Amino acid sequence: MWYRWSRVVQHRPWPAAIGGLALLLVLASPVLSLRLGFSDEGNYPADTTTRKAYDLLAQGFGPGFNGPLLVASDGVTGQPDVIDEVTAALSADPGVAAVIPVVAPGSPITLWQVLPTTAPQDEATDRLVHHLRDDVIDPIEARAGVDLPLTGIVASNIDFADFMARRMPLFFAGVLSLSFLLLLSVFRSVLVPLKAVIVNLLSIGAAYGVVTAVFQWGWAKELVGIGQGGPIEAWVPMMMFAIVFGLSMDYEVFLLSRMREEYDRTGDNATAVADGLASTARVITAAAAIMVFVFGSFLLESDRSIKLFGVGLATAVLLDATVVRMLLVPALMELLGKVNWWLPAWLDRIIPRLEIERAPSPGGHHPVTPPGA
């Protein structure tokens, strides 16, 4: 069946390649609006007591009551003018609903509780935190010579999300570059590892898009058991990338190594693609099905972040084992032909030669390592 399927795809490679790429790009499009952050009690289903309490507090005291900001200082207790200046500056900001200064008798610590006008997960709250630090608190610190850090759970979550957002491009670039170099050494080809990196990135991007649509936009939220959309947990994209990229490269190496063996034996790219897919498709789809069910079981958990993690991993593996391995790979390799296995002579001389399996001896048996070697 898989041999016949490969021949069908190879007979019409352009529609298969364009259709597969279009599907992945459409699924990945929501990732353009992905926003990192953390969920809270507002993301619980509406019928839970936790969500009802959250909504009642927001209704009675304002949405910012569920996520107050804190400004603390050590050493301004004896400077009432500084305390009044900080209180007035924070209160005058349109994004702040109320400011409550707390000065404990006999303590050098002064604390300001700042209630935003927006909910903890609102994008406006993110902007407010940066604005208060840069435009309100920093000038006062410079004039008064005091330290006024703005903190709290909400501010800490925003800082962590910003940190992860800055680090993710470096992490992605490092993993993709090392994977490309490793595949380049194994398959002695430029286009094969380049194609592998690109299509794997597309499948992961599509999984990010699905996660964004469901958990941030709130599409089909009832099916996964969440209350309302919110930011994507800041740690999830990096963890998803690490796990899914490892799994997808496992499938990629398994498939391409068989194709490379057939190509080295016959010199016919089309036959190598068909035979390689026929030999490995059953194992790849079976392994992927197991992982989809394992990751899909995460939906049985009540925690939103676990559900999000499971949906992202299951979607990525499903797309990788179907659209990528069974559609895009044979179509693109048919379109590229023998160029798939092109490697400049100068590059062939300088990169190390790695073998997935040890080369057989002339007698057909693998060499045996002597004892004690």
Side-chain angles (χ1 to χ4, degrees):
M1 181 189 71
W2 290 113
Y3 182 86
R4 292 195 297 271
W5 169 254
S6 178
R7 285 307 194 187
V8 169
V9 173
Q10 290 176 286
H11 186 62
R12 296 178 178 84
W14 280 111
I18 294 174
L21 289 173
L23 175 61
L24 293 179
L25 289 174
V26 169
L27 292 176
S29 58
V31 80
L32 298 175
S33 63
L34 184 145
R35 185 167 66 91
L36 299 181
F38 285 90
S39 59
D40 58 21
E41 289 78 4
N43 299 112
Y44 278 64
D47 58 347
T48 60
T49 55
T50 301
R51 172 68 181 279
K52 291 177 182 178
Y54 183 93
D55 291 341
L56 286 173
L57 289 173
Q59 180 181 352
F61 301 99
F65 187 82
N66 285 305
L69 306 176
L70 299 176
V71 178
S73 180
D74 182 5
V76 300
T77 304
Q79 306 179 52
D81 54 334
V82 175
I83 296 176
D84 294 340
E85 182 182 5
V86 173
T87 304
L90 294 173
S91 302
D93 193 278
V96 175
V99 177
I100 306 170
V102 179
V103 182
S107 172
I109 305 299
T110 302
L111 182 70
W112 290 265
Q113 188 177 49
V114 182
L115 302 182
T117 58
T118 52
Q121 294 184 11
D122 286 354
E123 197 169 357
T125 305
D126 294 10
R127 295 193 295 267
L128 176 66
V129 169
H130 295 299
H131 165 66
L132 292 179
R133 285 173 173 166
D134 299 336
D135 303 327
V136 177
I137 295 177
D138 281 357
I140 298 177
E141 288 179 330
R143 286 195 303 271
V146 295
D147 188 22
L148 299 167
L150 187 150
T151 184
I153 294 178
V154 174
S156 299
N157 289 342
I158 293 172
D159 293 340
F160 183 78
D162 291 343
F163 177 83
M164 295 297 288
R166 292 193 302 268
R167 291 298 186 271
M168 275 199 299
L170 300 176
F171 175 72
F172 291 172
V175 172
L176 294 174
S177 301
L178 291 174
S179 300
F180 174 81
L181 293 175
L182 182 61
L183 293 178
L184 179 68
S185 301
V186 170
F187 293 112
R188 319 304 295 178
S189 166
V190 173
L191 292 182
V192 164
L194 183 61
K195 172 186 61 63
V197 167
I198 292 174
V199 296
N200 288 345
L201 199 58
L202 283 174
S203 65
I204 296 174
Y208 284 168
V210 171
V211 164
T212 303
V214 174
F215 291 89
Q216 184 172 315
W217 294 357
W219 291 7
K221 60 181 183 294
E222 294 82 6
L223 296 179
V224 297
I226 60 172
Q228 63 180 4
I232 304 302
E233 254 68 15
W235 57 270
V236 167
M238 188 174 289
M239 288 293 295
M240 271 183 58
F241 185 87
I243 296 174
V244 171
F245 198 82
L247 289 173
S248 63
M249 276 302 172
D250 185 21
Y251 301 152
E252 183 79 13
V253 170
F254 189 58
L255 175 61
L256 290 179
S257 61
R258 188 70 183 95
M259 291 181 179
R260 179 73 201 201
E261 289 174 359
E262 289 298 317
Y263 181 76
D264 290 341
R265 186 176 64 86
T266 64
D268 184 351
N269 179 75
T271 302
V273 172
D275 288 345
L277 186 64
S279 301
T280 59
R282 181 179 297 180
V283 177
I284 290 176
T285 52
I290 293 172
M291 299 311 299
V292 169
F293 276 96
V294 170
F295 294 139
S297 67
F298 290 7
L299 285 172
L300 302 177
E301 287 288 334
S302 59
D303 187 83
R304 176 182 183 266
S305 61
I306 301 299
K307 292 177 182 287
L308 191 156
F309 197 45
V311 168
L313 292 175
T315 302
V317 172
L318 178 63
L319 292 173
D320 190 84
T322 55
V323 178
V324 173
R325 303 293 154 228
M326 305 305 152
L327 190 65
L328 277 180
V329 169
L332 293 176
M333 295 197 71
E334 176 66 21
L335 290 172
L336 293 173
K338 290 191 175 183
V339 181
N340 282 305
W341 313 107
W342 171 76
L343 182 68
W346 63 269
L347 187 58
D348 187 39
R349 289 192 299 268
I350 64 175
I351 61 175
R353 186 173 297 273
L354 303 178
E355 298 291 342
I356 297 178
E357 297 180 0
R358 287 163 49 168
S361 64
H365 301 288
H366 289 281
V368 179
T369 303

